């Protein structure tokens, strides 16, 4: 499973890193869309502080199975499948990871 995190918050980085330690999970973290090297990901996590207009194009591509927005607001964001409200627990991230059907 390949996961992309668009983020510049060290707390979010640490929590995602803890949740993606498994052998079958790869985590790529970037600060902005311009730093993305690959566009084939199973899950995309976007921190609200890193959300900018170019992310809209990435959301519309459709090659990402699940798109998750991480925000203090907790309201659903356009183009995302799910929103996780800050502060969040690692179990919430694990639940998202486990929900993606890899078959």
């Amino acid at each position: 499973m390949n996961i992309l995190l668009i983020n510049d918050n060290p707390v979010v980085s640490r929590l995602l890193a803890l949740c993606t330690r498994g052998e079958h999970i790869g985590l790529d973290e970037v600060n902005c869309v311009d730093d993305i090297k690959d566009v084939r990901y199973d899950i995309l996590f976007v921190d609200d502080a890193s959300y900018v207009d170019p992310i809209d194009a990435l959301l519309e591509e459709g090659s990402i199975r699940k798109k998750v927005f991480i925000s203090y607001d907790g309201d659903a964001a356009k183009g995302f499948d799910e929103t996780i409200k800050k502060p969040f627990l690692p179990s919430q991230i694990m639940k998202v990871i486990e929900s993606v059907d890899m078959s």
Side-chain angles (χ1 to χ4, degrees):
M1 176 178 293
N2 294 314
I3 298 173
L4 175 62
L5 171 62
I6 301 175
N7 168 56
D8 63 3
N9 182 327
V11 174
V12 172
S13 294
R14 181 95 169 118
L15 285 170
L16 264 284
L18 288 171
C19 294
T20 58
R21 282 194 195 162
E23 293 177 17
H24 65 286
I25 300 174
L27 175 65
D28 292 340
E29 183 174 357
V30 297
N31 290 326
C32 65
V33 174
D34 295 336
D35 296 337
I36 298 172
K37 293 176 177 49
D38 192 0
V39 292
R40 294 177 299 178
Y41 290 98
D42 300 302
I43 305 174
L44 167 67
F45 288 97
V46 179
D47 184 67
D48 59 353
S50 299
Y51 183 82
V52 292
D53 289 340
I55 291 177
D56 291 338
L58 182 64
L59 294 173
E60 292 174 7
E61 281 184 17
S63 61
I64 299 170
R65 293 178 189 217
K66 188 153 202 152
K67 302 161 192 121
V68 182
F69 191 57
I70 302 170
S71 137
Y72 283 109
D73 190 9
D75 291 337
K78 182 183 175 201
F80 290 91
D81 302 311
E82 190 171 330
T83 300
I84 293 178
K85 187 173 180 353
K86 292 180 185 177
F88 60 89
L89 297 171
S91 61
Q92 291 173 274
I93 300 297
M94 292 306 300
K95 183 178 174 184
V96 170
I97 293 170
E98 291 167 357
S99 74
V100 175
D101 182 14
M102 294 303 296
S103 57

